[in-house]
Amino acid sequence: MKLTTILPGFILASYAAANEQISTIYIQAVTASPAAPVPLAELEYDVVAPSEARVITYEAPELPDDSTLVRVGVYDPIAKQWASSTSVASVENFGKGYSPALMLSVDQSGVPISASIRGVRIDAGQTRDFGPQAVILVTATGKQPELNKPIVLSPEGKQVVPEEKSMLQK
């Protein structure tokens, strides 16, 4: 094989591997005296191909019996603070007959913005994949307003709407 046919393959493979990122989602029971957040799952994702995200590790949480709500998000254990916005979910999402679906919102560079979880009802006749699922939502820039655009008013002070011309008039 020629070097010119092998080299682009190596470059594409290294580029694809360089874009993959891993984020750890943490969970914390909402109680009167909350314990420290514990890792729930690790997600591997690529902002270029978010549909190919996958769950690397997942540990079913051991929650206190008196808790009904949990906080989910990306946590920084070194700084001991949440690194993203958090969401609150019911512990029923981890009940029997439900499969967790982890959602992670990231910006264009892959930095986590928020995380959430929901329980998806398992129907054995529909699917064979009962494990946790990962969904990555990549934010996009919204439409920007058109500033300094002149507004044309009629003599009555109302905005003039230009009439559309038909194909024959054009």
Side-chain angles (χ1 to χ4, degrees), residues 2 20 22 25 29 41 65 71 79 87 106 110 113 120 124 129 135 137 158 167:
K2 294 182 180 180
E20 291 181 354
I22 296 175
I25 296 179
D65 293 334
R71 181 185 307 182
S87 63
V106 297
I113 297 172
V120 178
D129 188 9
V135 177
L137 303 171
K158 300 196 180 211
M167 288 294 286

Side-chain angles (χ1 to χ4, degrees), residues 5-168:
T5 59
I6 295 174
L7 190 58
F10 284 129
I11 292 172
L12 286 174
S14 65
Y15 178 73
N19 286 338
E20 291 181 354
Q21 297 180 355
I22 296 175
S23 289
T24 305
I25 296 179
Y26 284 77
I27 189 168
Q28 179 184 34
V30 178
T31 59
S33 57
V38 294
L40 175 67
E42 281 188 339
L43 305 180
E44 182 180 32
Y45 59 93
D46 185 358
V47 293
V48 178
S51 62
E52 296 177 7
R54 63 186 186 98
V55 178
I56 299 173
T57 61
Y58 175 79
E59 291 184 32
E62 294 181 15
L63 302 170
D65 293 334
D66 62 337
S67 67
T68 58
L69 299 173
V70 292
R71 181 185 307 182
V72 179
V74 177
Y75 185 76
D76 184 1
I78 297 170
K80 295 187 178 178
Q81 66 181 4
W82 293 97
S84 72
S85 65
T86 60
S87 63
V88 176
S90 172
V91 295
E92 293 176 5
N93 288 312
F94 302 102
K96 194 172 190 177
Y98 290 94
S99 174
L102 301 155
M103 263 189 274
L104 183 66
S105 297
V106 297
D107 63 8
Q108 295 287 331
S109 61
V111 176
I113 297 172
S114 68
S116 64
I117 190 167
R118 67 182 179 98
V120 178
R121 190 126 178 87
I122 298 172
D123 185 4
Q126 294 284 334
T127 182
R128 296 285 179 232
D129 188 9
F130 301 127
Q133 301 295 317
V135 177
I136 304 296
L137 303 171
V138 181
T139 59
T141 55
K143 183 178 178 186
Q144 299 296 318
E146 296 179 23
L147 301 176
N148 297 329
K149 181 179 177 183
I151 299 174
V152 181
L153 298 177
S154 68
E156 293 87 34
K158 300 196 180 211
Q159 188 173 358
V160 176
V161 180
E163 296 179 18
E164 292 187 29
K165 296 182 179 180
S166 67
M167 288 294 286
L168 295 174

